[in-house]
PDB file of all heavy atoms in Angstrom:
ATOM      1  N   ALA A 448      32.983 119.142 103.735  1.00  0.00           N
ATOM      2  CA  ALA A 448      32.761 120.002 104.907  1.00  0.00           C
ATOM      3  C   ALA A 448      34.142 120.416 105.414  1.00  0.00           C
ATOM      4  O   ALA A 448      34.929 119.565 105.843  1.00  0.00           O
ATOM      5  CB  ALA A 448      31.993 119.245 105.975  1.00  0.00           C
ATOM      6  N   THR A 449      34.436 121.699 105.338  1.00  0.00           N
ATOM      7  CA  THR A 449      35.755 122.188 105.765  1.00  0.00           C
ATOM      8  C   THR A 449      35.828 122.295 107.292  1.00  0.00           C
ATOM      9  O   THR A 449      34.786 122.285 107.975  1.00  0.00           O
ATOM     10  CB  THR A 449      36.019 123.592 105.184  1.00  0.00           C
ATOM     11  OG1 THR A 449      34.967 124.454 105.637  1.00  0.00           O
ATOM     12  CG2 THR A 449      36.075 123.574 103.670  1.00  0.00           C
ATOM     13  N   ALA A 450      37.047 122.446 107.805  1.00  0.00           N
ATOM     14  CA  ALA A 450      37.238 122.639 109.251  1.00  0.00           C
ATOM     15  C   ALA A 450      36.472 123.884 109.702  1.00  0.00           C
ATOM     16  O   ALA A 450      35.837 123.893 110.769  1.00  0.00           O
ATOM     17  CB  ALA A 450      38.724 122.771 109.568  1.00  0.00           C
ATOM     18  N   ASP A 451      36.513 124.925 108.865  1.00  0.00           N
ATOM     19  CA  ASP A 451      35.828 126.173 109.216  1.00  0.00           C
ATOM     20  C   ASP A 451      34.327 125.958 109.313  1.00  0.00           C
ATOM     21  O   ASP A 451      33.668 126.420 110.257  1.00  0.00           O
ATOM     22  CB  ASP A 451      36.148 127.232 108.145  1.00  0.00           C
ATOM     23  CG  ASP A 451      35.306 128.473 108.313  1.00  0.00           C
ATOM     24  OD1 ASP A 451      35.541 129.196 109.296  1.00  0.00           O
ATOM     25  OD2 ASP A 451      34.387 128.708 107.495  1.00  0.00           O
ATOM     26  N   PHE A 452      33.753 125.223 108.355  1.00  0.00           N
ATOM     27  CA  PHE A 452      32.301 125.012 108.377  1.00  0.00           C
ATOM     28  C   PHE A 452      31.892 124.198 109.601  1.00  0.00           C
ATOM     29  O   PHE A 452      30.904 124.501 110.269  1.00  0.00           O
ATOM     30  CB  PHE A 452      31.837 124.319 107.084  1.00  0.00           C
ATOM     31  CG  PHE A 452      30.334 124.229 107.003  1.00  0.00           C
ATOM     32  CD1 PHE A 452      29.572 125.337 106.638  1.00  0.00           C
ATOM     33  CD2 PHE A 452      29.675 123.056 107.334  1.00  0.00           C
ATOM     34  CE1 PHE A 452      28.187 125.271 106.598  1.00  0.00           C
ATOM     35  CE2 PHE A 452      28.287 122.979 107.296  1.00  0.00           C
ATOM     36  CZ  PHE A 452      27.540 124.095 106.926  1.00  0.00           C
ATOM     37  N   ILE A 453      32.683 123.156 109.898  1.00  0.00           N
ATOM     38  CA  ILE A 453      32.350 122.318 111.062  1.00  0.00           C
ATOM     39  C   ILE A 453      32.432 123.149 112.343  1.00  0.00           C
ATOM     40  O   ILE A 453      31.589 123.029 113.238  1.00  0.00           O
ATOM     41  CB  ILE A 453      33.287 121.084 111.119  1.00  0.00           C
ATOM     42  CG1 ILE A 453      33.099 120.216 109.865  1.00  0.00           C
ATOM     43  CG2 ILE A 453      33.019 120.250 112.373  1.00  0.00           C
ATOM     44  CD1 ILE A 453      34.117 119.100 109.696  1.00  0.00           C
ATOM     45  N   ALA A 454      33.428 124.042 112.408  1.00  0.00           N
ATOM     46  CA  ALA A 454      33.574 124.902 113.594  1.00  0.00           C
ATOM     47  C   ALA A 454      32.365 125.821 113.737  1.00  0.00           C
ATOM     48  O   ALA A 454      31.811 126.012 114.835  1.00  0.00           O
ATOM     49  CB  ALA A 454      34.857 125.724 113.484  1.00  0.00           C
ATOM     50  N   ARG A 455      31.940 126.386 112.603  1.00  0.00           N
ATOM     51  CA  ARG A 455      30.782 127.293 112.672  1.00  0.00           C
ATOM     52  C   ARG A 455      29.523 126.540 113.098  1.00  0.00           C
ATOM     53  O   ARG A 455      28.713 127.027 113.883  1.00  0.00           O
ATOM     54  CB  ARG A 455      30.581 127.975 111.310  1.00  0.00           C
ATOM     55  CG  ARG A 455      31.660 129.015 111.047  1.00  0.00           C
ATOM     56  CD  ARG A 455      31.316 129.939 109.911  1.00  0.00           C
ATOM     57  NE  ARG A 455      31.542 129.360 108.612  1.00  0.00           N
ATOM     58  CZ  ARG A 455      30.629 129.313 107.642  1.00  0.00           C
ATOM     59  NH1 ARG A 455      29.424 129.795 107.855  1.00  0.00           N
ATOM     60  NH2 ARG A 455      30.916 128.801 106.482  1.00  0.00           N
ATOM     61  N   LEU A 456      29.391 125.325 112.576  1.00  0.00           N
ATOM     62  CA  LEU A 456      28.226 124.503 112.942  1.00  0.00           C
ATOM     63  C   LEU A 456      28.251 124.160 114.434  1.00  0.00           C
ATOM     64  O   LEU A 456      27.232 124.220 115.129  1.00  0.00           O
ATOM     65  CB  LEU A 456      28.267 123.220 112.112  1.00  0.00           C
ATOM     66  CG  LEU A 456      26.950 122.561 111.778  1.00  0.00           C
ATOM     67  CD1 LEU A 456      26.095 123.465 110.905  1.00  0.00           C
ATOM     68  CD2 LEU A 456      27.220 121.248 111.050  1.00  0.00           C
ATOM     69  N   MET A 482      39.917 118.012 104.501  1.00  0.00           N
ATOM     70  CA  MET A 482      40.872 119.068 104.878  1.00  0.00           C
ATOM     71  C   MET A 482      42.274 118.485 104.966  1.00  0.00           C
ATOM     72  O   MET A 482      42.444 117.250 104.910  1.00  0.00           O
ATOM     73  CB  MET A 482      40.465 119.699 106.221  1.00  0.00           C
ATOM     74  CG  MET A 482      40.523 118.739 107.397  1.00  0.00           C
ATOM     75  SD  MET A 482      39.657 119.351 108.860  1.00  0.00           S
ATOM     76  CE  MET A 482      37.952 119.101 108.438  1.00  0.00           C
ATOM     77  N   MET A 486      45.186 119.821 109.880  1.00  0.00           N
ATOM     78  CA  MET A 486      43.969 120.487 110.375  1.00  0.00           C
ATOM     79  C   MET A 486      43.020 119.465 111.003  1.00  0.00           C
ATOM     80  O   MET A 486      42.396 119.713 112.031  1.00  0.00           O
ATOM     81  CB  MET A 486      43.244 121.201 109.221  1.00  0.00           C
ATOM     82  CG  MET A 486      44.016 122.372 108.648  1.00  0.00           C
ATOM     83  SD  MET A 486      43.279 122.952 107.118  1.00  0.00           S
ATOM     84  CE  MET A 486      41.931 123.921 107.730  1.00  0.00           C
TER      85      MET A 486
END
Side-chain angles (χ1 to χ4, degrees):
T449 58
D451 171 70
F452 187 78
I453 298 171
R455 288 195 281 127
L456 209 64
M482 64 195 76
M486 293 169 80

